[in-house]
Amino acid sequence: MFARLRDVPPSASGRSRHDLPLGLAASVLTGFFNLSAAVRNPAPLPDVARDFPLQVSERRVVAHDQDVIALTLAAPGGGDLPRWHPGAHLDVHLPSGRVRQYSLCGDPGVTSSYRIAVRRIPNGGGGSVEVHDELTVGSTITTSGPRNAFPLTVPGYGSPAQRFRFIAGGIGITPILPMLAQAESLGVEWSMVYTGRRRDTLPFLEELARFGERIEIRTDDQAGLPTPAELLGDCPGGTTVYACGPAPVLTGLRTTLAGRDDVELHFERFAAPPVVDGAEFSVAVSSREDAIRVGADETLLTALRREGVHASYSCQQGFCGTCRVRVLGGEVEHRDTLLTGPEREAGMMLVCVSRAAAETGLILDL
Ligand code: FES
């Protein structure tokens, strides 16, 4: 999929605020689920962050419009790869130096390979086009992970969920795909709505056919843009919603579910979240003489890129660390969820989300 982006707080997983009583509710509701202890308490897997090479062993077109490809990645010499759970993603270091994050959309039970899927975005940041044009069968890339910021919290294991409602927009199907299989194997009630502009833009339709009417395919050309209520369906209390799609869809879901303390919402974004409560400031970089103005509603990263200043980036949401920059002057308003106190004290900041704390601005080591 193209680089998947997550909302910032309340949690890196995209869990919405109204699940704060989660631990208590989970312990109360655990007894409702007739699941084995092994299923309810799977051993948590550690996140793996080391770099390792993977080779493209298969490349397949998975949408009828030809614009989504699925890549199977395996260790060059074969062998098992680090394990993962549904919702995990892989950091992919592309030949150009770009780093992009793609959901693992294969079977977590397959230990010898990973699968990712990428939609070609001609006017995006260039990562998806590079994947489509450069990564052929036999290509070797550096990866790191898998990491999981969008975990499926199964009943009795951190979630009071009684049923799942999955909402996927286009390429947003990728993190959801393995979740469906897991929900199915757990015997948890679930339904899904899968949306997109047209049917031919939707990847993995053939693979999803086995789930039959549990999945509603709803395309804009046939039914118009869906409302949040239509996406949520009847959504009774005890439903946990997992959504991955465009920012306006996710915003609509969050607004509609505000006050619904009986429903959990977990989500991932496609695009950087809007700047909230931003103020204009200026930034100076060593590579140019004049200061750059950062608008109240734009990110520092956006302003740097607009002015042609090279700054690496990936998630654009303050959790991957790719855009880490050293601050030479000024006070930072940190808005990320990643940097530690010592890193901040050492003068590091993430320019995709963090800003100047004062109108006087920042001086960056760029
Ligand atoms: S781009 Fe990922 S933290 Fe900034």
Side-chain angles (χ1 to χ4, degrees), residues 139-221:
S139 301
T140 300
I141 50 175
T142 300
T143 64
S144 56
R147 293 185 292 171
N148 200 334
F150 188 43
L152 182 72
T153 50
V154 299
Y157 184 63
S159 170
Q162 298 173 51
R163 67 190 64 77
F164 294 128
R165 174 66 167 175
F166 297 107
I167 300 170
I171 195 67
I173 188 63
T174 50
I176 303 285
L177 202 52
M179 292 182 181
L180 303 180
Q182 182 163 26
E184 191 79 1
S185 68
L186 293 174
V188 181
E189 182 184 339
W190 66 271
S191 65
M192 174 173 141
V193 59
Y194 187 16
T195 66
R197 295 189 310 280
R198 303 179 313 276
R199 194 175 177 90
D200 68 345
T201 66
L202 298 179
F204 297 115
L205 282 178
E206 287 76 14
E207 205 165 310
L208 292 168
R210 71 183 176 107
F211 296 118
E213 293 183 354
R214 282 187 162 190
I215 298 179
E216 176 194 358
I217 308 289
R218 189 186 195 289
T219 57
D220 302 347
D221 62 338

Side-chain angles (χ1 to χ4, degrees), residues 74-75 77-81 111-113:
D80 284 347
L81 301 174
T111 57
S112 59
S113 65

Side-chain angles (χ1 to χ4, degrees), residues 101 301 312-324 336 338 350-353:
Q101 297 166 322
L301 175 65
S312 299
Y313 70 94
S314 180
C315 74
Q316 299 182 68
Q317 206 172 344
F319 66 82
C320 77
T322 306
C323 68
R324 182 186 313 234
D336 64 280
L338 183 76
L350 300 181
V351 297
C352 67
V353 290

Side-chain angles (χ1 to χ4, degrees), residues 176-319:
I176 303 285
L177 202 52
M179 292 182 181
L180 303 180
Q182 182 163 26
E184 191 79 1
S185 68
L186 293 174
V188 181
E189 182 184 339
W190 66 271
S191 65
M192 174 173 141
V193 59
Y194 187 16
T195 66
R197 295 189 310 280
R198 303 179 313 276
R199 194 175 177 90
D200 68 345
T201 66
L202 298 179
F204 297 115
L205 282 178
E206 287 76 14
E207 205 165 310
L208 292 168
R210 71 183 176 107
F211 296 118
E213 293 183 354
R214 282 187 162 190
I215 298 179
E216 176 194 358
I217 308 289
R218 189 186 195 289
T219 57
D220 302 347
D221 62 338
Q222 298 282 322
L225 287 173
T227 65
E230 288 169 335
L231 294 174
L232 289 166
D234 54 359
C235 203
T239 300
T240 296
V241 178
Y242 284 84
C244 185
V249 169
L250 301 178
T251 301
L253 292 174
R254 296 176 75 185
T255 303
T256 302
L257 289 175
R260 285 287 306 270
D261 290 341
D262 56 343
V263 174
E264 276 188 28
L265 172 63
H266 302 248
F267 55 89
E268 282 192 327
R269 288 178 180 275
F270 279 178
V275 175
V276 177
D277 295 334
E280 193 175 312
F281 64 96
S282 63
V283 59
V285 295
S286 50
S287 57
R288 52 185 284 166
E289 290 181 356
D290 53 326
I292 296 170
R293 292 302 292 172
V294 182
D297 59 354
E298 71 176 342
T299 67
L300 174 49
L301 175 65
T302 303
L304 292 171
R305 296 187 69 218
R306 164 168 49 73
E307 296 300 322
V309 177
H310 176 75
S312 299
Y313 70 94
S314 180
C315 74
Q316 299 182 68
Q317 206 172 344
F319 66 82

